[in-house]
Amino acid sequence: MRSNATEQDCVFCAIARGDIPSDSVYSDDQVVAFRDINPQAPSHVLVAPRRHVASVNQLKDDGELLGRVMSVAVTVAQAEDLAASGYRLATNHGRDGAQTVPHLHVHVLGGRALSGRLG
Ligand code: 5GP
Ligand code: ZN
């Protein structure tokens, strides 16, 4: 299938392909995880599907991939040793959700006490 312009230009597609370097912490045939370039906490990892999906809003009917991404997010949190102290999983959609990269990703955040404020 021919990629559309969005995929061609997509930074996380390029990271998943290995065309842009990243600090990878996990990779399988469907999902990649890599450290955020501008970390907001001592552990800040992004978990993304390999295939281009604009945001979680596109995955209403693909619980399997959504489940894979969330499962990897938990795997990463445990590997970062965050389970005992706690961690946050977050995903943003669209303008009001403050999404800046239009390729679905779940933030894994931990390693300090996070603010209870979510917006
Ligand atoms: P959003 O605001 O879309 O939920 O989060 C996008 C995240 O991607 C931000 O936390 C930002 O720091 C991170 N980011 C943007 N470009 C890159 C990049 O090229 N490499 C990595 N590792 N993270 C990036
Ligand atoms: Zn993409």
Side-chain angles (χ1 to χ4, degrees):
M1 193 181 77
R2 205 173 151 270
S3 298
N4 63 31
T6 307
E7 289 174 59
Q8 299 277 358
D9 299 342
C10 176
V11 63
F12 287 180
C13 281
I15 286 174
R17 286 193 304 266
D19 290 351
I20 291 179
S22 71
D23 190 353
S24 172
V25 299
Y26 178 92
S27 173
D28 68 25
D29 60 328
Q30 288 188 72
V31 179
V32 293
F34 49 91
R35 296 195 188 281
D36 197 292
I37 203 167
N38 182 23
Q40 304 299 308
S43 286
H44 188 175
V45 174
L46 304 175
V47 181
R50 280 190 180 278
R51 82 169 157 88
H52 185 81
V53 175
S55 83
V56 72
N57 198 53
Q58 265 68 43
L59 279 195
K60 181 165 65 75
D61 298 320
D62 194 346
E64 196 173 325
L65 184 57
L66 199 51
R68 283 293 307 146
V69 171
M70 289 303 277
S71 174
V72 170
V74 173
T75 298
V76 166
Q78 292 177 352
E80 295 281 299
D81 212 15
L82 302 176
S85 50
Y87 57 88
R88 177 172 297 155
L89 305 183
T91 192
N92 300 328
H93 165 70
R95 184 195 59 205
D96 284 358
Q99 183 180 11
T100 59
V101 175
H103 178 131
L104 168 64
H105 50 283
V106 171
H107 297 257
V108 180
L109 292 152
R112 68 167 169 83
L114 300 168
S115 160
R117 282 179 57 94
L118 288 176

